[in-house]
Amino acid sequence: MEESTYCFRLGEDSSSLQHIYWGPSIASAQALEMSHASVPLRIPFESPKGISREEYAPWGEMRFTEPDLKVTFADGTRVVEWVFEAYGIDRSNSGQTLWLQFRDQAYPLTVTLYYRIYDGHDVIERWVALENKGGNGPVIIEQSLSADWRLPPRDRYRLTYLYGQHVKEMQIAEVVLSPGKMVLESRRGATSHQFNPWIALDPDASAKEESGEVWSAALAWSGSWKIVVETTSYGDVHCAGGVNDFDFHYHLDEGVRLELPAFVGLYSNQGFGGISREWHAYQREHVLPETPEAVRPVLYNSWEAVAFGVNERNQMELAEKAAGLGAEVFVVDDGWFNTRNHEHAGLGDWTVDPQKFPHGLNPLIARVNALGMRFGLWIEPEMVNPESDLYRAHPDWVYHFRQRSRTEWRNQLVLNLARADVREWVFTTLHRLLSEHHIEFVKWDMNRHFSEPGWPDEADRNPERIWLDHVRNLYWIIDELRSRHPQVAFESSAGGGGRVDLGILSRVEQVWTSDNTDALDRLRIQEGFSYAYAPRVMMCWVTDCPNFLTKRTVPLGYRFHVAMSGSLGIGGDLARWTPGELEEARGFIARYKQVRSTIQNGLLYRLRSPRKGAVAAVQYVARDGSEVVVFVWGHSQQFGETKVSLALKGLKGNAHYADTISGATYSGAYLTYHGLAVNLVGDFDSRMLHLVRITERKGVIG
Ligand code: DGJ
C-alpha cells in the first residue's frame, strides 16, 4: 500500500535513538517539525535525559520500563552505555535496509539495528545484531529483543491477539489496555497453540473491519518468544518483542556475531481488514519461499482415514480414489516407518516398515506419480520415542537433567537439536530419505513442547542456548534440505497449528492449520488465522462425518466450502465414500481449481464473522480486480429467515460483474451498496459465488 511514514532521530548526545512518528503518510517537512518539537512528548521523572521513547533501549541509566537489551560483561558490569557509530542503507531490487550501528563506550560490544522496507508495502522488518569484537571475554546476553515499537500517544489502546490450544488455534481475544504490562509469550520451545506471535493495537477500540487506524506486529521466530505490550504510568505504549529471555542466557564469545529474528511492524488506516490484506501480501511477496507454482495444489492426506494403519495396499487404494477426484499431491502421514503402529514407538527410526511396505515406498511413489500426483511424506524429525533404536543408542541426545525425570508427552521426548551431532544426524537422515525416494512434499510435524530443557554435557558452559540454537538448527536443516532438494515443498505442522509464524513461513509453503477438522469449528480457527496469515498457506482438509472430534455431521458441500476458503485438501477415508459423494467431491475440486488463484492470492475481505451470528462470509478479490469469490455459510436457520444480503467490498462501482453460475449481472455499486442476496435454507447450508468483471463492449475479461 505504502500509506505510512516512520521517523526517528538520533538523540542530542548520540547515545539514544528517539522515536518520532509512526502513522499515516506525512511530508518530510512535517516529520522534521515533529522531530524539532520537544522530544520526548513527556519527560517523566525517571528519564531526565528524555530517554522514554527510544527505538531500542539497553538496560542502564534511568530506564525502568521493559528493556530491549540486557547483558553482563566479563568483569560483572551489567549495564550498556552505547554511542552511535555508523549507519548505511543497502538497496535491493525490492526495497532497502537501513542499519545503524552503536558501540558500547567501554566494552567491545556493537549493536546494529536494522530496518528493512519493501516497495509497495507498509511493513517494516526490524531486527538486531550483536557482535563481541573481542579482547574482553564473552558477553552474556540475558535479554535481547528484536525491536521495540512505539505507538503514538492516544487515550487508550485496545490490544487484539490470537490465543488457543490444540484443536482450538487462532482464537481472537481483545483487551483495552491500562497501565501495566501485557505479556504474550511461549516458553515451550516452539511458537505454540496457546499464543501466536502476532498482535494488533487500535486507539480507543475505534477500528472496525474496514476502517480505522491499526498498528500490528508479528515475530519471525519459531521458538520460545515474548511480546511485551507495556503502557507506562504516563500513558506511553510500546511493544517489545523477540526471543524469550525466560531461562535464557547466551554467551557471545569473542569475535562472534549474533543476528536475532525480525519483529515486523505494520500500520494501516483501513481497519483490521486492511492490516490482514497487507500481512497477506507481504507474506506472498517477501516471506514465503519462492516456488514456481502460482497456486498451491490440492492435497490428499491419509491421517484421518487410517491413522497409523497405513500400508501399501490401503495407500494404493486411497491414491487411486484421490487421483480420481483431482488431487495433485498424495501424502502418507504418520505410521509408515519401523514399529510405528501406535504412538508408543518408532519416532527416530526413519526406515520404511517392511511389514507395511514390503517393497519399500518406491512402488507406491511410482503409482502415485503415474496417477499424475506428487508424493508426500510425514516426518517428525525433532522427536524420539524411548521405544526406538535411536534412543537406545543415544539416550543423551534428548533434553534432560541428570537427576530429573524425563517427562514424556505422547510417549516422546525432544531431541537436543542444539547439539552439532544431532543436527548433523537429522540432516543426514532426511537427506538420505529424500535422495532415495522421489518425494516432492514433506509434512514436518512437531508434537510436543520442551520440558526438562537440560544439556548436561554443556552444563559448565551455556546450556541455556538451546532456546535459540534448537530453532536456528531447525532452520538450518530445512534451508539445507531445500537447497539440496529444490523439488520438495514443505508443510509446517505441530499438533495442528502450533508452529505458525513468519520465521517458519519463510521456509515452508504451507502450514497444517489445526487437527480440528470440524467445519463449524474451523470457521472460527480460520477467521483468526486470516487476521495474520495468508489463505494460501492455510491447509484445510475435508474429512469424514461424524467428525472424529466433535461428532458433528454436516453436509459435504458445507465441509468443502469451508476447506475451499484456504488451500484445499482432502483427509477423509475415500474408500468409504459413496459413488455419489465421490462425484460431488470431484465437482467441488474442479470448481476450486477454477477459482483458487483468487482465493490463494487475492485480497481477502471478512464480510461476516462466525463469532457474530449464524451466518459467516468471506470474500476474495483477484488482485487485478477481474474476479470475485464469496463463501457464505449458515450454520442454523432461525426465525424462518433465509435471505442473507452481503455488501461486497473492494469492487469498482462502475464496473459490471457476472455471476458465473446464474449468469446474472450486477454493477459494482449494486453489489457494494445494495448487496448480493443469498438464500440459505435449513441448517449447515452454504454457497460459493463466483463473479467475473465484465465490460459492456468487450464481454468477460480476466
Ligand atoms: C499431528 C498432526 O497435526 C496430525 O495431522 C498428524 O500428522 C499427527 N500428528 C500424526 O501423528
Side-chain angles (χ1 to χ4, degrees), residues 398-437:
V398 298
Y399 293 120
H400 67 285
F401 293 109
R402 284 219 169 96
Q403 305 298 327
R404 297 286 175 241
S405 51
R406 300 178 181 200
T407 306
E408 289 176 32
W409 171 252
R410 212 190 187 212
N411 312 295
Q412 62 196 60
L413 298 165
V414 188
L415 287 176
N416 179 347
L417 209 59
R419 290 175 65 123
D421 49 1
V422 175
R423 181 187 87 162
E424 222 33 57
W425 178 85
V426 171
F427 169 71
T428 315
T429 306
L430 298 182
H431 177 46
R432 193 180 316 119
L433 189 66
L434 297 180
S435 305
E436 290 172 357
H437 301 91

Side-chain angles (χ1 to χ4, degrees), residues 119-131:
D119 301 339
H121 291 271
D122 286 295
V123 293
I124 307 170
E125 291 176 352
R126 289 182 57 186
W127 73 100
V128 167
L130 306 172
E131 187 170 354

